[in-house]
Amino acid sequence: MKKTIGLISANYVIEEINSNIQERGLAALPFGSRYRLIDFPLSNLKNSGVGCVGIIMPFNNRALIDHIGAGKAWGFGRKTNSLFMLPGSVYGRKNNADKFLLRDIILNFRFIDYDNADYVILCGVNKIFNMNFQPMIKQHEQSGNDLTVAYTVKDGKDIPLDCAIINQSFLIDIASWYGNLDFLGLMKIIEDYLDDADIGRYEFDSEVIIIENMHDYLKGNLSLLENDVRENIFNPDNQIYTNVQDRAPTFYAPSSKVHNSLIAAGCMIEGEVENSVIFRSSHIHKGAKVKNSVLMQDCNVSEGAYLNNFICDKRVHVMKNVRVEGTMETPYYVQKGQII
Amino acid sequence: MSGKKCIAMLLAGGQGSRLGALTKNIAKPAVSFAGKYRIIDFSLSNCVNSAIDTVGVLTQYKPLVLNHYIGTGEAWDLDSAHGGAHILPPYATETGGSWYLGTANAIYNNIDFVDIYDPEHVLILSGDHLYKMNYADMLEEHIEHDADLTISVYNVSLKEASRFGIMSVNEEGRIYKFSEKPKKPDSTLASMGIYIFKWSILREALLKDHETEGSDHDFGKNIIPALLKEKKRLFPYYFEGYWKDIGTIESYYEAQMEMITKDIGRLMFREGSQIYSNSNLYPAHYIGKKGKVKTSLVCNGCVVDGTVTQSSLALSVIIGEGSVIKDSVLLPGVQIGKNCKITKAIVNEGVSVKDGSVIKDPDGGIVVVSADSEWAR
């Protein structure tokens, strides 16, 4: 069997989101009640039997390192399966054109070269899907191509998944030939300079949630309330793993009223929740109402508060009788730890 | 390697036959509780929260689920290099081998295990009690008293006292009398079955007890009375707080319901030290468009499209549309079909209930639904 390693790039920014979430970095953005964006590519790689994965780290990497640890939750950090946190270049702080900067690849040449792999699977972090890579690896192997790029088709248009499989030798060649163009992205170089490269296409026809701004973020979270989306993204045959915190079950008080919502463990629900995604250990007090919103971990919504189209970062305290309303297009966002 | 200060030996071999269908396939300590937990989580978590990093788990009755659940002990941080969680089943020797004949006999058979760690003190625990206790405080008192044995005690009502091992304490604070399940109790200080022994004293007592003919090889019946007779230093450790010994279906159901009440739920799960568990990873639970949940506990992986009141939903429980669940306990992996009406029932792990089932005891008792029940699919 051919050997495949994984390379996840977390070293890029999407200005509309990063300006909001600041020091956390995109890859560590919480999603779907108990996950972070990085969980999806990491779990996809684990579920596809890829035993060696490197993550090109963003400049702001504290939250990401804290979340991943040694990678035990995804089956890494063992004698046979290892996870590498790779340095990213500082250009990642501004880069939004290409997910894979050539200089990040050159900087981590040793990782790519290290394991005598045949193929490298490349993944970004802001497109969420549950994919087993084995069929793509197989297609790539049979085609004899240099590179196979994954797409999904929406409304008749090709949408790239920032996900590809590339021959290791081809990747190493590009890194050594185009060192003087290292400010460019890998895909840009292949497109502009390597006309004769054999490039294949892999079509993925399952659920994809793309997050490129705060509207996408709210919409993407709320799309998990649809049974088929949720069952697809959290397909138990291809489980999405995350850092386990072992919180107590969620408690519903006699006064609780909950409809169409995804709610994590450790919460205390005394008020009303509708069409919302609630992360761990949040407390919705009696008489409070949360609608069409995302509340991240440890939020506290006091009596009589009313939130609609609202994105609440971690540990936000909403005072009594506060009314805040955004719109689906421009949700109201409150930063971590604020009191409103 | 130098000896440890204290290690724990956790008795988890009991069948718990009074729990009926719940323990048909698994040992009592492995029975699901409060949604995502199993009963043994409480003792194991107490150990870790009390800085005890070595726990021998003595298993005998249907131990497979329990073994699988404990694994390396990692979920409780009990996977340390010198120490950790160890499953200790009965074993064969050159002269044959036998089952564990009683609580004391189980420890007797593992004297060699304890000797590996050469501890000063040994903490003996039951794997089927629900409580949060810091054993480090108990150990500190035990050492302060220079006690040979410290027994954790709980004040029970005089009516209940005849179900427990009852102690009498003199002015000095020492235990001078211990009677196992007395008909006429003269005190209400009940033993919780939690003991800290000096290992040298316990070791000697176990060897003597093994040679004693007619002994039941039981801590309450044999070891403690023998130590009292020898005028050893026995002290009580007073425990206040929530403590429950789950013996019957009724007490199990009652304890499950207590976890739903705000105060006890908070005490056990939202305050103080954390209870750890080794549960599978599931997505957050989903309350559907027609779902309704009030006064209940709900765990990850659940999907609720029906109405749930005064109930406990463990991991990955599915409630179909139009079903009404009241005063019930649904254990992990239970699937309730559509338009069911379930009142005051315990539905055992993994059971699927047919569409339209109506489950209720006409006399108001508790119904236990298992895989061979008429409602199961």
Side-chain angles (χ1 to χ4, degrees):
Chain A
M1 208 178 96
K2 302 277 190 180
K3 183 162 181 172
T4 307
I5 62 172
L7 184 63
I8 299 172
S9 176
N11 191 27
Y12 61 93
V13 296
I14 294 176
E15 201 46 44
E16 266 198 78
I17 294 180
N18 283 76
S19 60
N20 281 312
I21 59 172
Q22 296 192 332
E23 92 307 350
R24 181 184 285 136
L26 203 53
L29 184 65
F31 182 81
S33 272
R34 65 176 308 189
Y35 304 91
R36 291 178 189 257
L37 296 189
I38 190 76
D39 293 343
F40 296 88
L42 263 186
S43 302
N44 285 340
L45 286 164
K46 180 213 153 67
N47 291 333
S48 308
V50 177
C52 175
V53 174
I55 303 175
I56 301 171
M57 301 300 278
F59 178 80
N60 289 315
N61 54 32
R62 179 195 50 77
L64 193 55
I65 289 175
D66 176 41
H67 179 68
I68 297 171
K72 259 166 90 179
W74 300 267
F76 296 106
R78 311 172 71 88
K79 284 178 183 164
T80 50
N81 289 346
S82 22
L83 184 71
F84 295 82
M85 305 233 192
L86 307 172
S89 67
V90 74
Y91 291 85
R93 294 188 80 175
K94 288 274 171 269
N95 168 44
N96 56 7
D98 202 310
K99 309 293 191 268
F100 293 91
L101 275 175
L102 192 61
R103 60 174 84 216
D104 282 346
I105 288 168
I106 293 170
L107 194 58
N108 295 295
F109 192 80
R110 284 282 162 255
F111 167 77
I112 295 158
D113 196 30
Y114 162 77
D115 233 7
N116 287 324
D118 299 294
Y119 305 131
V120 183
I121 292 182
L122 305 169
C123 297
V125 293
N126 67 309
K127 295 183 181 169
I128 299 162
F129 49 87
N130 184 328
M131 188 195 322
N132 189 315
F133 294 126
Q134 281 304 332
M136 180 165 90
I137 297 172
K138 207 168 160 195
Q139 183 192 312
H140 179 73
E141 190 176 344
Q142 283 168 353
S143 71
N145 284 332
D146 299 316
L147 170 75
T148 299
V149 183
Y151 291 91
T152 188
V153 179
K154 249 183 194 168
D155 310 323
K157 270 198 306 194
D158 267 1
I159 298 170
L161 296 180
D162 302 337
C163 171
I165 176 165
I166 186 167
N167 291 348
Q168 186 232 31
S169 53
F170 186 53
L171 185 61
I172 286 176
D173 283 348
I174 297 173
S176 47
W177 296 337
Y178 293 93
N180 56 343
L181 294 176
D182 68 355
F183 52 88
L184 290 176
L186 178 68
M187 294 301 166
K188 177 88 180 142
I189 288 177
I190 293 171
E191 211 173 284
D192 292 0
Y193 296 90
L194 290 161
D195 297 338
D196 55 348
D198 296 322
I199 300 173
R201 181 177 182 287
Y202 179 79
E203 196 175 316
F204 178 68
D205 61 354
S206 198
E207 211 56 57
V208 178
I209 298 172
I210 298 175
I211 295 183
E212 288 178 337
N213 53 48
M214 295 314 269
H215 159 70
D216 287 347
Y217 180 74
L218 181 58
K219 204 180 101 197
N221 270 291
L222 299 189
S223 73
L224 295 173
L225 301 177
E226 291 162 35
N227 288 337
D228 48 344
V229 177
R230 194 177 62 251
E231 281 157 17
N232 193 304
I233 294 285
F234 300 127
N235 173 7
D237 296 334
N238 252 340
Q239 203 181 8
I240 304 300
Y241 297 87
T242 189
N243 186 1
V244 174
Q245 298 189 358
D246 213 350
R247 300 288 168 105
T250 282
F251 177 77
Y252 289 83
S255 53
S256 76
K257 210 173 162 186
V258 179
H259 284 292
N260 194 33
S261 294
L262 194 64
I263 298 180
C267 293
M268 177 79 147
I269 314 285
E270 298 178 281
E272 239 177 284
V273 182
E274 198 184 317
N275 301 335
S276 295
V277 171
I278 314 284
F279 284 71
R280 296 170 179 125
S281 299
S282 284
H283 190 159
I284 318 287
H285 289 264
K286 211 170 164 173
K289 184 162 184 181
V290 178
K291 239 176 110 174
N292 308 314
S293 297
V294 175
L295 304 191
M296 294 186 205
Q297 194 174 320
D298 292 314
C299 284
N300 197 329
V301 183
S302 307
E303 269 173 53
Y306 175 83
L307 310 175
N308 189 7
N309 290 315
F310 188 82
I311 300 170
C312 211
D313 211 308
K314 279 166 89 168
R315 292 200 293 278
V316 165
H317 184 93
V318 180
M319 305 278 273
K320 273 188 186 175
N321 301 323
V322 168
R323 286 181 70 88
V324 191
E325 220 167 334
T327 63
M328 196 53 164
E329 288 311 310
T330 43
Y332 196 99
Y333 170 78
V334 176
Q335 273 182 11
K336 199 168 169 176
Q338 303 280 312
I339 298 174
I340 58 164
Chain B
M1 229 176 299
S2 64
K4 293 217 174 230
K5 194 167 165 195
C6 185
I7 72 167
M9 296 295 271
L10 207 165
L11 299 161
Q15 179 183 356
S17 52
R18 286 174 301 160
L19 284 179
L22 296 181
T23 52
K24 194 177 160 202
N25 296 315
I26 55 180
K28 186 164 146 193
V31 170
S32 161
F33 188 77
K36 62 181 288 195
Y37 303 98
R38 294 188 185 273
I39 294 172
I40 199 169
D41 286 337
F42 291 81
S43 316
L44 287 177
S45 302
N46 285 339
C47 284
V48 178
N49 293 331
S50 311
I52 290 173
D53 66 0
T54 309
V55 184
V57 182
L58 300 124
T59 60
Q60 177 154 286
Y61 174 80
K62 298 224 169 144
L64 302 181
V65 173
L66 192 59
N67 294 353
H68 169 77
Y69 186 68
I70 293 173
T72 61
E74 191 192 330
W76 303 267
D77 288 351
L78 284 171
D79 54 342
S80 59
H82 180 49
H86 301 266
I87 309 264
L88 304 171
Y91 56 89
T93 66
E94 67 278 13
T95 53
S98 74
W99 298 110
Y100 294 151
L101 303 172
T103 50
N105 180 257
I107 308 293
Y108 169 84
N109 275 299
N110 288 288
I111 285 179
D112 289 349
F113 170 79
V114 181
D115 281 343
I116 294 173
Y117 292 102
D118 186 24
E120 281 173 55
H121 308 280
V122 171
L123 168 67
I124 309 286
L125 301 169
S126 293
D128 50 5
H129 293 169
L130 299 173
Y131 62 107
K132 289 211 282 199
M133 184 195 275
N134 191 335
Y135 305 132
D137 294 343
M138 182 174 168
L139 181 62
E140 202 180 300
E141 262 195 48
H142 172 77
I143 293 169
E144 240 167 57
H145 287 144
D146 189 27
D148 295 319
L149 163 61
T150 300
I151 303 176
S152 183
V153 298
Y154 191 74
N155 226 328
V156 296
S157 68
L158 200 59
K159 211 175 86 189
E160 288 177 297
S162 48
R163 279 177 42 216
F164 294 94
I166 295 296
M167 272 153 286
S168 306
V169 173
N170 67 15
E171 292 141 19
E172 223 187 305
R174 269 173 75 168
I175 298 168
Y176 68 90
K177 190 176 164 198
F178 183 98
S179 23
E180 185 71 13
K181 296 179 182 150
K183 288 213 175 80
K184 277 193 182 162
D186 46 11
S187 141
T188 54
L189 284 184
S191 164
M192 296 164 64
I194 301 166
Y195 315 113
I196 297 181
F197 286 93
K198 271 187 192 150
W199 174 232
S200 55
I201 301 284
L202 176 61
R203 203 176 187 283
E204 199 189 305
L206 290 172
L207 293 172
K208 267 191 208 158
D209 176 69
H210 185 67
E211 301 301 328
T212 308
E213 260 183 58
S215 169
D216 287 329
H217 308 300
D218 184 87
F219 279 103
K221 284 185 209 155
N222 310 104
I223 301 288
I224 296 169
L227 290 180
L228 273 175
K229 210 183 270 173
E230 288 174 29
K231 300 267 180 282
K232 296 284 195 236
R233 293 173 64 81
L234 272 63
F235 285 84
Y237 172 77
Y238 296 93
F239 176 76
E240 284 171 5
Y242 185 88
W243 177 75
K244 200 120 199 171
D245 173 10
I246 293 176
T248 60
I249 290 281
E250 285 72 26
S251 64
Y252 173 76
Y253 177 81
E254 190 187 310
Q256 286 273 26
M257 285 297 140
E258 280 171 347
M259 296 301 137
I260 299 170
T261 62
K262 199 171 170 182
D263 293 344
I264 294 175
R266 184 194 298 134
L267 191 73
M268 296 304 273
F269 302 120
R270 278 179 281 277
E271 278 178 4
S273 52
Q274 195 182 341
I275 303 297
Y276 303 97
S277 71
N278 184 15
S279 47
N280 290 339
L281 187 79
Y282 292 101
H285 65 266
Y286 173 69
I287 311 291
K289 292 188 176 85
K290 291 179 183 161
K292 248 187 204 169
V293 183
K294 279 185 201 297
T295 331
S296 294
L297 281 186
V298 183
C299 289
N300 285 334
C302 290
V303 176
V304 181
D305 287 315
T307 302
V308 178
T309 43
Q310 282 286 344
S311 295
S312 172
L313 307 193
L315 291 161
S316 192
V317 169
I318 314 286
I319 312 282
E321 249 175 67
S323 287
V324 179
I325 315 294
K326 224 186 130 193
D327 302 325
S328 293
V329 176
L330 311 191
L331 300 186
V334 164
Q335 300 198 10
I336 306 290
K338 288 176 186 170
N339 304 314
C340 296
K341 252 191 114 161
I342 299 179
T343 311
K344 209 171 175 185
I346 300 170
V347 185
N348 208 352
E349 280 190 50
V351 172
S352 290
V353 173
K354 285 187 239 174
D355 290 354
S357 299
V358 177
I359 304 176
K360 187 183 181 178
D361 179 27
D363 305 323
I366 302 157
V367 188
V368 179
V369 181
S370 46
D372 51 9
S373 299
E374 50 178 307
W375 306 284
R377 185 161 47 186

